[in-house]
Amino acid sequence: LEVLGVDVLYYGNAHPSQKPLADVRRESTQFFNTSNTHKQDKGKATVGAPEFFTENYNIRLRPGTPKKIAHSLTKHVRERDGGLRFVEALTLPYSQERYEVACNLLNTDVTSMRDIEARLKTWEHAAGDWIETSYRVGTTVQMNLDALAGAQTKMGEDSYNQLVRERFHSKIME
């Protein structure tokens, strides 16, 4: 990427001091700049290797949800605010006057998607019915382990690549 003129920003185990992704974004990009509606950092890419495989889970709030309510959900699930262990979360503006809480599950052996969903129920009980939907983004640890197990040979690699294409296509069509 650097050869193509892209500024590569490393994080996690790929960074010399193992800097977390959030710190790299905060210090070197416009990712957290909410006043910048375009939020485009053209010519930059983040590349990293977290200690554990990170699963992603998003919670979209209903149109008209106040920002204060969205932040309260973020704090309810995020570890640094007393939420779930090994969960990073941030509140992002979405479309049509909505917010989304994006969660990184840093160690799913400790905190899983199911734990997040249980936590959402306690938050909704106290805060009200603000959640529109919630969903997993990307692959899970098990999906990756299954893929690696199936790619031990050239034939396995080819069949795995076909499986990835099929799964990707089916997810797009959902």
Side-chain angles (χ1 to χ4, degrees), residues 10 24 112 123:
Y10 295 97
V24 170
S112 70
W123 180 83

Side-chain angles (χ1 to χ4, degrees), residues 62-80:
R62 296 184 190 287
T65 300
K67 189 174 187 177
K68 184 177 180 177
I69 295 289
H71 279 296
S72 77
L73 174 57
T74 301
K75 290 179 178 183
H76 191 71
V77 297
R78 182 170 57 197
E79 179 178 29
R80 78 172 192 217

